[in-house]
Amino acid sequence: MTPERKPEIEILKSHEAMCHRAASLFDTIAKESMGERGQFFVALAGGTTPAGLYIRLHAPPYELDLEWNKTQIFFTDERCVGPEDSASNFRMAHEALLQRVYMKPEKYVHRIKGELGPDKAAEDYEAELKKIFGRGTPCFDLVLLGIGSDGHTASLFPGTQAVTETGRNVVGVPEHEIKRVSITLPVINNARNIMFMATGTAKAEVIAEVLEEGNPKSLPAGLVSPREGRLIWLLDTRAASGFTPED
Ligand code: 6PG
């Protein structure tokens, strides 16, 4: 059993600095992936925090830098709403990034069709992933994640069956008040690179619980532990205010 790789924790002085650092790491990982395999498969996070990263990816210095025609865009999770709904993770990413970069959406953007409802949307996305990755567990070059104050990540909420699912790559999450669809932990942990982004004091307590050495790994975000890949946590000082990272 290979020893668990320690997470790379970076604490930035502000939300803005955290987003800039995230864009720089995104660019580096994308270039590495394209150099090694001629393509870059990334699963975008939802919520609000990643928007600050996405808007930087189509502005200098990255705007011409990233080869979007070698990039395939996926999503870690979606709410069971249509793509135009204000709650849609796709809509957030589309407005912040996808509508501004040149890529053939129908070919390179793999939206989770939340409007089909949790089970149908999960089946549909499972089939979409199989089309691209073949059988078995998809391996993304980069999975972007956020964390909720309850310790959820993607749409893997504490106490839901989705957290313990190991037989499927995508599951519906009917238990949540806004029904959702999510990729599962085996998919997340099979990624070459996983990058969490979190800012603000509201996350400080849960981040301390997840990141402090020795705590039981019980929360969904704490179960993110890549098999062989890199685990990066980008925090601003407020989100990191609950713990002192190991030297
Ligand atoms: C979602 C995300 C979710 C998000 C966290 C943090 O659909 O909301 O998948 O896991 O990353 O809830 O959200 P914020 O970035 O808005 O704090």
Side-chain angles (χ1 to χ4, degrees), residues 46-50 76-77 79 89 146-148 152-155 180 203:
T48 56
T49 306
T76 59
D77 64 317
R79 291 83 182 273
N89 287 335
I147 182 172
H152 80 262
T153 190
S155 283
R180 304 216 182 179
K203 309 286 177 77

Side-chain angles (χ1 to χ4, degrees), residues 6-12 207-208 211-213 233 235-237 239-247:
K6 281 191 179 303
E8 300 166 42
I9 301 169
E10 295 191 32
I11 301 171
L12 291 305
I207 284 169
L211 289 182
E212 257 165 8
E213 291 286 308
W233 279 82
L235 307 170
D236 70 358
T237 46
S241 58
F243 80 112
T244 40
E246 287 246 303
D247 301 332

Side-chain angles (χ1 to χ4, degrees), residues 147-192:
I147 182 172
S149 53
D150 62 356
H152 80 262
T153 190
S155 283
L156 305 175
F157 288 87
T160 61
Q161 291 195 339
V163 176
T164 54
E165 174 65 47
T166 54
R168 288 179 288 171
N169 297 321
V170 191
V171 287
V173 187
E175 302 97 322
H176 198 260
E177 77 259 36
I178 303 181
K179 296 188 183 336
R180 304 216 182 179
V181 188
S182 184
I183 61 174
T184 54
L185 276 167
V187 178
I188 294 172
N189 288 332
N190 200 38
R192 293 187 177 90

Side-chain angles (χ1 to χ4, degrees), residues 37-48:
R37 289 173 295 282
Q39 55 192 13
F40 172 50
F41 287 2
V42 56
L44 300 183
T48 56

